[in-house]
Amino acid sequence: MKDYIKVDEWKIIEQGFNPHYNKISESIFSLGNGRMGQRANFEEAYSGETLQGNYVAGVYYPDKTRVGWWKNGYPEYFAKVLNAANWIGIDIVIDNEQLDLAKCKVSDFRRELNMKEGYLKRNFTAKTANGKLVKVESIRFCSMAEDESGAINYSITPLNFSGSISITPFIDGDVINKDSNYDEKFWDEVKKETWLTGGYLQMRTKKTGFEVATGMELRVLQNGKLIDLKTKPIEKEKYIAAQVVLQAQEAQTISIFKYAANLSSQNHAAGELAAKVKETLSRISEKGFETLLAEQAAAWAEKWKHNDIIIEGDDSAQQAIRFNIFQLNQTYTGEDDRLNIGPKGFTGEKYGGSTYWDTEAYCVPFYLSTADPKVTRNLLLYRYKQLGKAIENAKLLGFEDGAALYPMVTMDGTECHNEWEITFEEIHRNGAIAYAIFNYTHYTGDEVYLIDYGLEVLIAISRFWSQRVNWSNDKKQYVMLGVTGPNEYENNVNNNWYTNKLAIWCMEYTMEVIEKVKRKDREKYEALIKKLNFDEVSETDRFTDIIENMYFPFDEEHHVFLQQDGYLDKEQILVKDLPASERPINQKWSWDRILRSCYIKQADVLQGIYFFEDEFDIETIRRNFDFYEPRTVHESSLSPCVHAILAAKLGDEDRAYEFYLRTARLDLDDYNNDTEDGCHITSMAGTWMAIVQGFGGMRVRFGRLSFQPFLPEKWKSFSFNIGFRSTLLNIKVSKEGVYLKNLSGTSTSVMVYYKEQFVRANDELLVEA
């Protein structure tokens, strides 16, 4: 655990430069706008430890899978979001000495992420080897208003000399991915052009053929006055720059304004990219830096109006939840149904930037409540449009008749995870995708989605489950063999309770939706079953038979659902009895030892209880929670939030708060010693869930919102906004009670502590504690 980030309600602040923490800070201070993003690398040269990262959403490379033993059905590649052209670079040379913080004496260093207004600011004073002292300030952002653009204001002031300063803003496309399987570079140059105030570089990805034009336009002020910029254009392979040499005067500031654009062939014809990037550069440079910055602040103000959480009495918790919300909003905006949410977002390369089931299980609840319904709808459409690939994926594994197995990891719908126990066995991901359809329609009431898209996906998923089970003559029930549940510290197990539960729920829900669609639009239903060659009678009979005869492992002694067959054959040593020196076990133990242990990486049985809590009485939930949590090491960032929500439901407020703290500052304090690889973006949605569904006790019951809140002991109050079916509510929980404020023009009723409360349009009321 690190403790170097200063606490502030609206800012992330690093005071003083510690090069050992630099890669961690590059992750934490990352920027994005849903269309592009970047790690918080320095603009000037840096020869110290760094992980360079500039990313363009949806642009990826199929890096050939690297395995020792190829198996039938194995993915041919691992799709990776690419490190794209570096557009932030500004090389500074002071009297023939390059400014490089790894080689200078650095003082007054401060890095500040302003979450309220969406920009990164950095200040420092540097003393070169030759004794030259300069003060530098940089401000940059990825524009929310101009989402293919970014801007930098980089100012340098000589403090103890007058002399020559060479300034070379550049775009460098000769970049690599640290995680390249074969140390391959993934970009080829298409063309480039320079002019006196800028230029562009157009690159094409190998194999996939995506093209990205990255351009820059420059303005330079000296002592507050715009200079007639006459640069020396520089062109090299995969590189352009514009050099200007100025005679700097002591105490006079030179300001470089660098306007940049990243345009992709995802959104523009490849042949038009050059013209479009010039057009974009002209538009944003004419607006000017201050106007762009004001637009950025306005865009973020609108976002915070809908999804801010305010905590009184705990500045550390306040900073943490805003950081999590900030990163979620700059990772995904929901404007494009071809895009999704990678586990690291725009903050690093790990996990390839690809889509996992994290989106459906953890991110969907956040976007449902804090954004327009179309945002979540686009996440569902992303999967719908990849249904054909999911059917192909299932066919590769031997399934037939339109069965679909969605990929564990994907960019375009093709499975690209390269570990067999995940690729072939962690099939519960199918259930998460079905559950997201339920979650969306249950929350929004949008049943048209079921008619147009949802039922088609559900039938394909249910077909998969009906083929994946088999009849056990021994048990006289259906079983599911050779799977991996959410607890990836178990592989190739039989009858994982969570997977079996999801399978029958999917089939039940599919049949429920069939009846609903038949009632609402018989014509579309008949067209769909014809398209799918779906035999309703025989196939639903098969679903029903499986549902009624599915085997679930259960322990009569403890009265708990067994995680899988044979789980109690393992040596039952609780986590509290593990020596601290042996944790985390994923870094200290062999994989063989982990697989033979009883330890649980993340919620498994409890994930199912969280999804389907209404099916279980409180004592069943308590027994399973008290049995499994002491065996859970929480070595997945996705684990604490589910435990926080269930602990809150059980009235265990202390443990709920403990689990919240584990997830809220996971990256800010580098709990798992892995933040340098990137932030845990999808688990950040779990932090929001821990507050809203955990402390706020929010659920949707019978088409309306219900709350069972409690106030953590250390907090004076907390409040959050919830968008629900044309209403926007602010819920504030304090010692006095629960304040309900209707911020919309539509009256609504909600349940608070099981009692109905009617809140008129633009009105508020207090439900006393």
Side-chain angles (χ1 to χ4, degrees):
M1 176 178 170
K2 315 295 188 302
D3 186 22
Y4 72 98
I5 298 297
K6 306 301 178 186
V7 173
D8 184 278
E9 290 186 357
W10 277 108
K11 297 175 181 177
I12 308 299
I13 300 168
E14 177 186 12
Q15 193 77 45
F17 181 55
N18 182 342
H20 298 295
Y21 292 165
N22 186 51
K23 289 200 290 186
I24 299 170
S25 292
E26 287 177 340
S27 298
I28 291 172
F29 291 84
S30 294
L31 294 172
N33 61 14
R35 189 72 66 185
M36 61 188 235
Q38 60 184 200
R39 288 170 60 81
N41 308 128
F42 298 157
E43 291 88 359
E44 70 280 350
Y46 184 65
S47 58
E49 281 288 312
T50 180
L51 175 61
Q52 294 293 303
N54 287 271
Y55 310 104
V56 179
V59 175
Y60 68 94
Y61 177 83
D63 200 10
K64 183 174 172 57
T65 300
R66 190 171 192 139
V67 292
W69 176 29
W70 200 272
K71 303 171 181 66
N72 289 335
Y74 228 49
E76 294 183 4
Y77 63 83
F78 192 96
K80 294 175 178 176
V81 170
L82 298 184
N83 187 14
N86 174 13
W87 62 266
I88 67 171
I90 302 174
D91 197 28
I92 304 293
V93 178
I94 302 166
D95 282 346
N96 298 315
E97 187 175 359
Q98 188 178 52
L99 180 62
D100 179 346
L101 296 196
K103 299 176 180 178
C104 296
K105 183 178 180 180
V106 181
S107 60
D108 302 323
F109 182 95
R110 180 182 171 96
R111 188 161 18 191
E112 174 185 301
L113 181 63
N114 186 313
M115 299 181 289
K116 189 173 186 178
E117 299 182 2
Y119 64 83
L120 173 62
K121 182 177 180 180
R122 184 169 59 102
N123 302 81
F124 63 87
T125 299
K127 186 176 184 180
T128 69
N130 291 330
K132 302 293 173 62
L133 204 61
V134 294
K135 181 173 70 174
V136 172
E137 177 178 283
S138 71
I139 300 174
R140 76 172 188 250
F141 57 92
C142 295
S143 174
M144 285 286 185
E146 298 273 2
D147 66 2
E148 295 176 308
S149 306
I152 304 170
N153 177 0
Y154 189 94
S155 299
I156 182 167
T157 307
L159 297 180
N160 66 349
F161 71 97
S162 297
S164 170
I165 296 183
S166 170
I167 302 164
T168 310
F170 62 84
I171 295 171
D172 183 8
D174 191 20
V175 294
I176 62 171
N177 270 50
K178 179 185 175 183
D179 66 352
S180 170
N181 285 342
Y182 297 91
D183 299 323
E184 184 181 5
K185 291 185 177 180
F186 301 140
W187 294 93
D188 289 323
E189 181 181 312
V190 177
K191 59 182 176 180
K192 56 179 173 273
E193 182 183 348
T194 55
W195 51 87
L196 290 178
T197 56
Y200 73 87
L201 177 66
Q202 188 165 330
M203 306 285 289
R204 180 189 296 122
T205 60
K206 297 176 181 178
K207 296 185 181 178
T208 44
F210 294 109
E211 294 193 21
V212 176
T214 304
M216 65 178 182
E217 181 68 22
L218 310 172
R219 301 289 184 270
V220 178
L221 276 67
Q222 190 164 12
N223 200 27
K225 296 179 181 178
L226 185 67
I227 67 172
D228 183 13
L229 195 59
K230 295 179 180 178
T231 67
K232 174 188 174 184
I234 301 170
E235 294 186 8
K236 296 187 291 187
E237 185 180 2
K238 303 182 184 179
Y239 178 94
I240 64 162
Q243 183 185 38
V244 59
V245 179
L246 299 175
Q247 289 303 307
Q249 302 300 312
E250 184 176 342
Q252 290 188 4
T253 299
I254 298 170
S255 297
I256 304 104
F257 293 92
K258 184 176 184 181
Y259 303 97
N262 263 324
L263 273 65
S264 163
S265 58
Q266 286 267 82
N267 307 307
H268 307 276
E272 298 176 2
L273 284 174
K276 293 288 186 181
V277 78
K278 289 180 180 179
E279 178 185 310
T280 303
L281 290 170
S282 175
R283 182 177 66 253
I284 63 176
S285 60
E286 285 180 16
K287 281 187 177 182
F289 188 85
E290 294 304 322
T291 296
L292 290 170
L293 190 59
E295 289 179 348
Q296 181 80 341
W300 273 103
E302 187 64 23
K303 287 187 176 296
W304 288 118
K305 185 168 72 176
H306 290 278
N307 54 39
D308 191 18
I309 290 179
I310 298 173
I311 298 170
E312 291 185 290
D314 190 338
D315 290 346
S316 178
Q318 177 67 86
Q319 179 188 48
I321 189 58
R322 282 186 172 140
F323 175 70
N324 285 269
I325 293 170
F326 178 80
Q327 289 289 356
L328 285 163
N329 276 305
Q330 64 175 7
T331 298
Y332 183 75
T333 62
E335 297 296 324
D336 191 335
D337 63 24
R338 297 169 300 174
L339 303 179
N340 208 282
I341 306 156
K344 297 294 182 186
F346 294 121
T347 71
E349 300 173 8
K350 194 171 182 181
Y351 304 116
S354 301
T355 304
Y356 286 66
W357 67 283
D358 307 16
T359 291
E360 284 76 21
Y362 298 93
C363 296
V364 160
F366 169 78
Y367 291 105
L368 273 175
S369 295
T370 65
D372 190 281
K374 73 174 184 180
V375 172
T376 304
R377 200 171 197 267
N378 278 344
L379 288 173
L380 301 188
L381 286 172
Y382 174 91
R383 294 294 194 178
Y384 173 78
K385 291 182 176 182
Q386 295 179 357
L387 177 58
K389 293 283 184 72
I391 292 171
E392 289 176 20
N393 185 44
K395 193 172 183 179
L396 281 172
L397 301 185
F399 295 89
E400 301 172 348
D401 299 327
L405 175 59
Y406 275 92
M408 185 69 180
V409 177
T410 194
M411 289 296 297
D412 68 350
T414 305
E415 175 64 80
C416 58
H417 198 286
N418 55 14
E419 295 173 356
W420 67 269
E421 67 274 13
I422 307 300
T423 305
F424 301 149
E425 297 193 340
E426 199 165 341
I427 54 178
H428 67 82
R429 63 210 190 228
N430 249 16
I433 290 162
Y435 190 83
I437 295 172
F438 162 78
N439 213 355
Y440 168 76
T441 55
H442 181 61
Y443 192 94
T444 64
D446 177 12
E447 294 185 343
V448 173
Y449 183 85
L450 294 175
I451 298 169
D452 293 343
Y453 307 106
L455 180 56
E456 186 173 351
V457 173
L458 292 170
I459 287 173
I461 288 174
S462 290
R463 281 173 158 174
F464 171 82
W465 292 125
S466 73
Q467 295 177 45
R468 186 57 172 79
V469 302
N470 65 272
W471 180 258
S472 166
N473 285 324
D474 177 56
K475 291 182 169 59
K476 306 302 181 189
Q477 289 178 290
Y478 287 99
V479 295
M480 198 176 316
L481 310 179
V483 303
T484 297
N487 171 25
E488 292 171 341
Y489 290 174
E490 302 274 8
N491 299 152
N492 200 34
V493 303
N494 294 334
N495 296 305
N496 172 257
W497 182 87
Y498 172 71
T499 306
N500 287 13
K501 175 64 181 171
L502 267 181
I504 67 159
W505 174 83
C506 285
M507 290 182 275
E508 288 173 334
Y509 182 53
T510 299
M511 291 192 292
E512 177 187 322
V513 172
I514 285 171
E515 294 306 314
K516 190 172 290 186
V517 172
K518 282 164 66 175
R519 288 196 306 270
K520 290 184 174 293
D521 198 323
R522 185 81 192 198
E523 185 178 343
K524 282 192 175 181
Y525 175 73
E526 296 292 346
L528 178 62
I529 62 172
K530 183 177 180 181
K531 172 186 174 182
L532 301 181
N533 194 27
F534 180 68
D535 186 328
E536 181 183 341
V537 174
S538 65
E539 294 198 52
T540 57
D541 282 351
R542 166 77 173 170
F543 297 166
T544 301
D545 189 41
I546 295 168
I547 292 164
E548 292 176 350
N549 294 285
M550 191 70 181
Y551 167 72
F552 292 97
F554 185 81
D555 180 61
E556 295 290 348
E557 179 182 348
H558 298 91
H559 294 283
V560 296
F561 307 122
L562 274 186
Q563 184 174 269
Q564 75 265 348
D565 285 349
Y567 179 75
L568 288 178
D569 291 337
K570 295 168 177 284
E571 189 175 18
Q572 298 293 315
I573 300 174
L574 302 185
V575 174
K576 69 180 178 61
D577 297 321
L578 264 180
S581 61
E582 295 190 22
R583 301 196 46 202
I585 62 172
N586 63 11
Q587 296 176 23
K588 302 296 179 66
W589 284 14
S590 69
W591 193 243
D592 169 74
R593 189 179 179 190
I594 289 173
L595 290 176
R596 288 187 288 106
S597 78
C598 71
Y599 299 121
I600 301 168
K601 180 183 179 185
Q602 68 189 78
D604 195 304
V605 169
L606 297 183
Q607 181 76 38
I609 289 177
Y610 162 69
F611 273 170
F612 307 115
E613 65 174 10
D614 289 344
E615 297 183 22
F616 310 108
D617 61 51
I618 198 71
E619 289 309 312
T620 298
I621 296 173
R622 190 183 309 281
R623 281 196 306 274
N624 281 275
F625 185 89
D626 289 344
F627 181 82
Y628 283 109
E629 195 287 320
R631 293 162 170 80
T632 303
V633 290
H634 301 289
E635 289 176 9
S636 165
S637 63
L638 301 173
S639 186
C641 68
V642 171
H643 289 82
I645 294 166
L646 291 179
K649 182 179 180 65
L650 294 170
D652 192 338
E653 298 179 5
D654 290 340
R655 278 206 285 184
Y657 189 69
E658 174 193 339
F659 291 126
Y660 166 73
L661 289 180
R662 287 193 193 187
T663 186
R665 297 190 66 87
L666 179 70
D667 291 309
L668 289 177
D669 295 336
D670 193 25
Y671 269 102
N672 290 346
N673 294 315
D674 62 356
T675 303
E676 66 178 36
D677 297 326
C679 295
H680 299 79
I681 300 300
T682 47
S683 74
M684 289 177 171
T687 306
W688 179 92
M689 289 162 59
I691 290 182
V692 174
Q693 296 183 5
F695 306 157
M698 190 196 84
R699 304 290 191 274
V700 177
R701 308 271 193 223
F702 307 107
R704 61 183 172 185
L705 292 173
S706 173
F707 300 93
Q708 297 271 35
F710 76 87
L711 183 65
E713 186 179 345
K714 295 183 179 180
W715 297 0
K716 295 179 181 177
S717 71
F718 70 97
S719 65
F720 53 90
N721 291 339
I722 293 293
F724 182 75
R725 301 189 185 185
S726 78
T727 62
L728 180 63
L729 297 175
N730 176 262
I731 313 298
K732 182 177 180 179
V733 182
S734 71
K735 290 180 172 64
E736 291 74 39
V738 181
Y739 291 87
L740 306 173
K741 183 183 292 186
N742 190 339
L743 303 173
S744 62
T746 304
S747 297
T748 189
S749 67
V750 301
M751 300 294 288
V752 180
Y753 300 125
Y754 302 111
K755 292 183 179 179
E756 183 177 11
Q757 305 292 337
F758 184 76
V759 194
R760 293 183 176 86
N762 301 304
D763 199 2
E764 60 185 286
L765 62 86
L766 169 64
V767 180
E768 294 184 358

